[in-house]
Amino acid sequence: MWNTLVSIFPYAIAYTIPMLMTSLGGLYSERSGVTNLGLEGLMLVGYFASAITIKMTEATLGVQALPLGLLVGVAAGAVFSLLHAFASINLKADQVISGTAINMLAAALTVYLARTISGSGNVRILMGIVRKNIPMLSRVPIIGPLFFSQTYWTTWLCLAIWALSWILLYKTSFGLRLRACGEHPSAVASAGINVHHMRYFGVAMSGALAGLGGSVILITYSGEFSGTVAGLGFLSIAALIFGQWKPLGILGATFFFGIATTIANVSQVIPSLAVIPPVFFKVFPYVATLIALVLFSKNSAAPKASGEPF
Amino acid sequence: MKHVKIREKQSNAFLVAVSAVVLGLVAGAILMASIGSNPFTGFWFLFRGGLMNIERVGNTMATATTLMLVGLSVAFAFKTGLFNIGASGQMLIGGLCATLVAHYVFLPRPLYLIVLILAALLGGALWGVIPGFLKAKFNVHEVVATIMMNWIAYWSIYYFIPAYLKGPSLETESASIAVTQSLRTPWLTKLFNGSYMNLGFFIAIISVIVIKLILDKTTLGFSLKAVGSNRHCAEYAGIKVNRNVVISMMIAGGLAGLAGLSFYTGYSRNMQIGVMPAQGFDGIAVALLGASSPLGVLFSSLFFGILQSGKGFMNAMTSVPPEIADTIIAVIIYFTATSVLFKRFWDAVLKRQGDKAKKKEESAQAEVKKEGE
């Protein structure tokens, strides 16, 4: 059992991180008052942009191409999300429809462009991040092998972003204002703060972080742009709800979902897990989210003005 | 006066839809040009691919069939103020039920077709009624619930098909059903020169008519629309809001289930795993472009059917990737969502024209007056 756990943990963490970033992006957006169903598409944009960047620069830049790709992925996600921001903030459009349009547009556009670059529509990069043990910490019993062995540097970067976001959203006056925009925008406006600017920030952050999530998928476990993120963006939305729109909640939820996904993927090769059909683990996050929604329906923690134009 | 006002509004909805389509096509043209292809040849082959001969027309109609039923599903839910983003999952489950019937039930043809249709209808309705129930009973937002239901269906089928309906060669798709067990019939196949055209098209047309009748002529339709336009007002008037929400989602799910029937046992004859049917989302575009009216859905689904079925031919004849069709559809959705822009634009244009006409009239009257003096 212990060996199984040690062997699947790095994979579970690798799955968790892209979801955590995307979910955190969703948190920024929803807390500022804009529902963002386009996370799946925004992830895909980051995934694609970083794949193209790395492919074009890896011959000359070598390993340096990876961080560059990451940055371009973040920027591409942020820029693409402005389409959603413009529709839902300036034009007061239906945010669900706009988000759906973002998903469809990203899915079609990235594959369209990828096909013009390589016929099959897949963009393969030569190298990913090399996994490393953290010196000292990886030798600590129990948590060493679980958390500090075979890690990617992006994992630590993303966790730092998560921690900083928590501080930004919950310990600064800026964060208070941003969250207030999602609860009672007119109160914020009457305090002399531009709600539209705050919401633009929230949506752009969601694009940037979802783009980061997509890029991380590429340079950690995938190594190839394949035209889809297979529902990870929607899973991140589920994690956002399951985590009740709170940073610690989404950390727990994404990790939970990451473990479930990993177990489903490996359960056929690990006998001690094969007793439970993998479908159980795959549908678990979605069923759990539905149950959470039912349980918390009386006092939902969702931002009150999320989805409401201002 | 009132009558004129309504007509003006309608022409606006039409203008908005046309503007969105034109901008979608323009975006497509720009994308084609950006990779060095000639947009005119691109579009020429795109439309030829959908309409060139009777076989391709048949394929276009078969493609449009699925889009029509999904569009109808989304539009019907819209009328009750619900957003059914879960048509993909409902299609999958409806299609799965139909596929199971096609594999295991053998009956005389008319009876068999009824059983087949009912199976798909029930499967889709089940997948739709769950979010409806959660919405009515626990106030769970139907958008989130239907997305979750989509992925539950996706993964269930991902594991169900290899386990119970595995095809002879590939692990990733179900065994094909016999042609005689599908919605295809010899006379239609012959008429359309061997295309995918199947009985599903008539199911879709009948559904359009039935939904139009339900919405326009029945008490149920009236109360559904009342809930959609103002929930509280409907409740005050004694309409059971929750019951209507459940019924609306059930019918919407059933329609999407029929779309699954037309796609998995008509257009194709097997189910592939690991594919979330894109029609579930294209149907949102169909419903929006058709202004959520059954007839609008009918026409917009034919338009999108041409785009979707012509893209393969275009790809074969030019260097434009087939995803151009999906890009155009996505752009159209985006511009329908942001229709406020066009509404403002056309309102301004119409107003200016109206003002001009008024001025003309006034000056003409003034002249008449002058002449009189």
Side-chain angles (χ1 to χ4, degrees):
Chain A
M1 192 60 205
W2 172 246
N3 284 338
T4 316
L5 211 57
V6 170
S7 59
I8 69 167
F9 237 69
Y11 292 100
I13 292 174
Y15 270 121
T16 302
I17 292 300
M19 269 195 280
L20 176 65
M21 284 300 100
T22 311
S23 215
L24 189 65
L27 184 79
Y28 271 101
S29 179
E30 297 237 337
R31 281 289 178 195
S32 77
V34 181
T35 302
N36 193 349
L37 284 186
L39 290 175
E40 173 102 354
L42 295 170
M43 263 182 124
L44 200 56
V45 168
Y47 193 18
F48 171 75
S50 56
I52 293 295
T53 311
I54 293 172
K55 182 151 180 82
M56 293 216 252
T57 57
E58 63 189 349
T60 50
L61 288 181
V63 192
Q64 305 294 323
L66 297 180
L68 179 70
L70 212 59
L71 277 178
V72 174
V74 169
V79 169
F80 208 74
S81 71
L82 293 181
L83 277 177
H84 182 57
F86 177 67
S88 41
I89 300 169
N90 294 93
L91 299 180
K92 303 178 175 32
D94 188 318
Q95 297 172 7
V96 172
I97 296 173
S98 166
T100 309
I102 296 290
N103 281 338
M104 294 175 67
L105 196 58
L109 201 58
T110 53
V111 179
Y112 176 84
L113 293 174
R115 262 195 220 277
T116 57
I117 292 159
S118 74
S120 68
N122 286 13
V123 181
R124 179 169 276 283
I125 59 169
L126 291 174
M127 58 196 158
I129 301 176
V130 181
R131 292 169 165 241
K132 283 202 180 107
N133 290 345
I134 305 288
M136 312 284 285
L137 287 175
S138 64
R139 268 179 271 151
V140 177
I142 305 183
I143 60 166
L146 289 183
F147 294 102
F148 298 108
S149 301
Q150 297 290 305
T151 62
Y152 300 107
W153 57 261
T154 46
T155 302
W156 303 106
L157 173 74
C158 291
L159 285 174
I161 290 174
W162 171 81
L164 287 175
S165 297
W166 191 358
I167 295 170
L168 178 67
L169 284 171
Y170 284 85
K171 303 288 172 206
T172 65
S173 56
F174 177 82
L176 182 66
R177 287 172 194 160
L178 186 89
R179 284 184 290 128
C181 285
E183 301 287 344
H184 206 312
S186 43
V188 183
S190 68
I193 291 149
N194 191 326
V195 176
H196 283 192
H197 288 179
M198 295 303 254
R199 288 193 166 177
Y200 257 99
F201 175 79
V203 177
M205 276 306 276
S206 78
L209 289 173
L212 176 63
S215 314
V216 167
I217 296 178
L218 177 82
I219 61 179
T220 56
Y221 62 83
S222 135
E224 164 179 64
F225 171 78
S226 55
T228 169
V229 291
L232 271 185
F234 288 116
L235 200 54
S236 307
I237 296 174
L240 179 63
I241 298 164
F242 194 64
Q244 289 290 292
W245 295 269
K246 292 193 179 75
L248 201 58
I250 60 172
L251 180 69
T254 48
F255 187 58
F256 214 40
F257 292 175
I259 286 190
T261 311
T262 312
I263 292 178
N265 287 346
V266 301
S267 68
Q268 291 314 303
V269 282
I270 296 173
S272 59
L273 294 173
V275 283
I276 308 169
V279 63
F280 175 81
F281 295 106
K282 286 284 191 189
V283 301
F284 163 76
Y286 307 106
V287 176
T289 303
L290 280 181
I291 293 172
L293 280 170
V294 169
L295 290 181
F296 296 122
S297 62
K298 283 283 171 297
N299 43 5
S300 170
K304 282 193 185 58
S306 183
E308 307 273 327
F310 179 74
Chain B
M1 196 61 208
K2 226 175 185 178
H3 191 68
V4 174
K5 225 177 182 177
I6 290 166
R7 288 241 335 240
E8 215 172 68
K9 240 186 189 169
Q10 271 174 346
S11 75
N12 265 356
F14 182 71
L15 278 178
V16 165
V18 170
S19 317
V21 169
V22 168
L23 279 181
L25 294 178
V26 167
I30 292 172
L31 273 175
M32 286 186 202
S34 72
I35 59 162
S37 297
N38 183 345
F40 293 102
T41 22
F43 278 120
W44 169 244
F45 284 119
L46 185 63
F47 285 102
R48 266 191 80 189
L51 301 166
M52 184 164 56
N53 53 35
I54 192 79
E55 183 197 345
R56 287 190 182 271
V57 170
N59 288 345
T60 298
M61 284 163 84
T63 312
T65 301
T66 310
L67 292 176
M68 203 184 297
L69 285 163
V70 176
L72 208 53
S73 161
V74 177
F76 191 77
F78 266 142
K79 287 278 181 196
T80 322
L82 299 165
F83 193 13
N84 180 21
I85 202 168
S88 293
Q90 293 146 13
M91 261 183 82
L92 281 171
I93 298 299
L96 180 69
C97 292
T99 305
L100 281 173
V101 167
H103 272 293
Y104 295 113
V105 177
F106 298 94
L107 288 167
R109 183 81 173 165
L111 199 61
Y112 167 75
L113 284 177
I114 291 171
V115 174
L116 189 69
I117 291 169
L118 279 180
L121 206 56
L122 284 177
L126 171 74
W127 227 245
V129 83
I130 297 172
F133 173 76
L134 291 178
K135 167 97 183 177
K137 182 93 182 158
F138 300 105
N139 202 23
V140 172
H141 202 297
E142 79 280 1
V143 166
V144 178
T146 48
I147 289 175
M148 299 301 131
M149 295 301 285
N150 273 349
W151 290 95
I152 294 172
Y154 174 94
W155 288 113
S156 305
I157 283 183
Y158 191 91
Y159 290 102
F160 185 88
I161 284 183
Y164 301 104
L165 287 170
K166 200 172 77 174
S169 50
L170 284 170
E171 280 272 348
T172 55
E173 57 184 42
S174 68
S176 290
I177 58 172
V179 181
T180 48
Q181 293 286 94
S182 74
L183 286 178
R184 295 196 201 165
T185 54
W187 66 272
L188 266 180
T189 311
K190 221 172 163 186
L191 188 65
F192 285 93
N193 224 347
S195 81
Y196 303 123
M197 180 63 180
N198 57 69
L199 291 175
F201 188 73
F202 301 107
I203 298 177
I205 296 289
I206 293 169
S207 306
V208 167
I209 296 166
V210 170
I211 293 300
K212 189 166 171 51
L213 287 180
I214 291 180
L215 283 174
D216 291 350
K217 303 282 176 203
T218 65
T219 326
L220 174 69
F222 180 80
S223 52
L224 288 174
K225 284 189 291 187
V227 172
S229 53
N230 191 335
R231 221 184 135 101
H232 304 290
C233 183
E235 198 160 17
Y236 186 71
I239 294 170
K240 290 197 178 81
V241 172
N242 285 342
R243 196 171 138 254
N244 278 294
V245 165
V246 175
I247 291 176
S248 174
M249 278 308 288
M250 187 174 75
I251 296 177
L255 288 167
L258 289 181
L261 169 82
S262 79
F263 186 67
Y264 294 112
T265 65
Y267 186 87
S268 75
R269 286 188 289 118
N270 62 7
M271 294 185 80
Q272 297 193 332
I273 66 168
V275 180
M276 186 64 96
Q279 290 90 340
F281 301 103
D282 290 351
I284 298 170
V286 171
L288 286 174
L289 195 62
S292 297
S293 84
L295 281 178
V297 165
L298 177 76
F299 290 115
S300 62
S301 70
L302 287 171
F303 171 68
F304 286 134
I306 295 173
L307 291 186
Q308 285 291 13
S309 97
K311 66 183 182 182
F313 182 67
M314 178 204 61
N315 183 226
M317 303 302 288
T318 64
S319 59
V320 183
E323 280 74 21
I324 192 77
D326 309 274
T327 314
I328 293 172
I329 293 176
V331 172
I332 292 175
I333 291 207
Y334 184 76
F335 282 122
T336 358
T338 54
S339 56
V340 185
L341 270 183
F342 310 124
K343 247 179 219 148
R344 274 190 215 148
F345 174 75
W346 285 115
D347 281 347
V349 169
L350 290 176
K351 208 183 150 210
R352 201 177 301 158
Q353 274 179 352
D355 286 350
K356 253 187 205 165
K358 228 184 226 170
K359 253 184 201 164
K360 237 182 199 172
E361 215 168 274
E362 272 169 13
S363 61
Q365 270 178 356
E367 261 171 42
V368 169
K369 254 186 190 172
K370 254 184 200 168
E371 271 171 26
E373 275 170 10

